């Protein structure tokens, strides 16, 4: 554990911030994931990232530097839609378990929306066929803009910062039982500050080759 945040730079015993012995700086050369946790709201996401990085191939050491006052603080409730067991499942060319679960959810649902990221270019023809089969609306992230013509009957615009109201409406719970995000990292820019109302929630199915 790191010394408490208010003591940084004051020569506290065992201080390992960048003002003392910079442990995070030292560990960057011998870990696969190495970060400083400055607030309780960061703990869940950074802990999940650390566990996934440590357990997935190629496996390796990870390091979280957490100040003692952050460790002693009350954390907010965990996100219900985060399933660590699924995230740690061994990667495969096609995850049959996830595929069956997705099919089961699709069969039980009526309304769909596809969110297309910049990595969809080579598969855009197949994705448009999928949209027709599901009768789904389509929105794009800023990096996916241009993959679908603005006059396409299913296209509802761009999601993210400076995005379109029509895109947000298409992703609302009233208009989409399942939101399928394809080849996007769902960054702050693409998700309007990681918005949980219409994107980062239990309706989301995330398909990304980099995950």
């Amino acid at each position: 554990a790191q010394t408490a945040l208010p003591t940084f730079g004051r020569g506290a015993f065992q201080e390992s911030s960048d003002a003392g012995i910079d442990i995070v700086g030292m560990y960057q050369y011998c870990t696969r994931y190495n970060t400083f946790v400055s607030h309780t709201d960061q703990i869940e996401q950074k802990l999940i990232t650390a566990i996934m990085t440590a357990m997935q191939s190629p496996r390796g050491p990870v390091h979280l530097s957490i100040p003692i006052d952050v460790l002693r603080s009350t954390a907010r409730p965990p996100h219900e839609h985060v399933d660590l067991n699924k995230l740690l499942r061994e990667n495969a060319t096609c995850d049959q378990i996830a595929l069956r679960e997705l099919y089961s959810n699709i069969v039980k649902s009526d309304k769909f929306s596809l969110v297309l990221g910049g990595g969809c270019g080579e598969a855009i023809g197949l994705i448009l066929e999928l949209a027709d089969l599901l009768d789904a609306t389509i929105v794009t992230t800023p990096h996916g803009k241009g993959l679908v013509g603005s006059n396409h009957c299913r296209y509802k615009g761009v999601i993210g910062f400076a995005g379109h109201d029509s895109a947000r409406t298409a992703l609302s719970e009233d208009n989409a039982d399942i939101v399928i995000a394809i080849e996007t990292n769902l960054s702050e820019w693409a998700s309007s500050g990681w918005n949980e109302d219409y994107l980062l929630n239990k309706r989301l199915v995330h398909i990304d080759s980099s995950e």
Side-chain angles (χ1 to χ4, degrees):
Q2 177 69 268
T3 54
L5 285 168
T7 67
F8 279 19
R10 298 174 60 189
F13 183 61
Q14 291 186 329
E15 179 183 349
S16 53
S17 71
D18 58 358
I21 300 175
D22 188 1
I23 296 297
V24 174
M26 293 169 60
Y27 280 4
Q28 66 178 314
Y29 302 106
C30 57
T31 57
R32 294 197 60 237
Y33 180 72
N34 172 46
T35 188
F36 175 75
V37 179
S38 62
H39 194 276
T40 54
D41 286 347
Q42 297 178 349
I43 290 178
E44 181 181 24
Q45 182 61 44
K46 289 191 173 184
L47 180 59
I48 289 173
T49 301
I51 294 173
M52 290 179 63
T53 303
M55 298 302 294
Q56 292 182 344
S57 181
R59 296 187 178 188
V62 297
H63 169 246
L64 297 179
S65 179
I66 309 176
I68 191 66
D69 51 338
V70 174
L71 280 175
R72 290 172 175 168
S73 300
T74 301
R76 66 179 182 179
H79 286 90
E80 295 181 359
H81 57 275
V82 174
D83 188 332
L84 189 57
N85 289 325
K86 289 182 180 179
L87 294 176
L88 291 175
R89 189 179 297 153
E90 289 291 335
N91 289 330
T93 303
C94 182
D95 188 331
Q96 294 295 334
I97 296 175
L99 194 61
R100 286 194 294 269
E101 184 177 349
L102 175 59
Y103 176 78
S104 176
N105 289 333
I106 287 176
V107 168
K108 294 183 291 186
S109 303
D110 298 316
K111 297 172 290 185
F112 307 91
S113 188
L114 306 183
V115 180
L116 309 187
C120 291
E122 294 184 5
I124 191 62
L126 292 174
I127 291 172
L128 292 177
E129 289 183 23
L130 174 64
D132 288 337
L133 288 172
L134 296 178
D135 192 23
T137 57
I138 298 173
V139 303
T140 60
T141 67
H143 286 109
K145 186 178 180 181
L147 289 173
V148 181
S150 58
N151 294 323
H152 193 284
C153 62
R154 298 193 179 279
Y155 187 57
K156 301 301 179 183
V158 178
I159 198 67
F161 284 122
H164 301 123
D165 288 337
S166 55
R168 288 186 284 271
T169 299
L171 297 179
S172 68
E173 193 167 359
D174 291 336
N175 295 309
D177 300 323
I178 296 179
V179 175
I180 304 176
I182 307 172
E183 288 301 314
T184 169
N185 62 3
L186 297 176
S187 65
E188 183 178 15
W189 180 261
S191 61
S192 291
W194 301 295
N195 187 287
E196 296 183 2
D197 292 332
Y198 52 78
L199 196 53
L200 302 185
N201 53 57
K202 62 184 179 181
R203 296 180 293 121
L204 176 67
V205 175
H206 189 201
I207 303 172
D208 186 12
S209 59
S210 66
E211 292 292 327

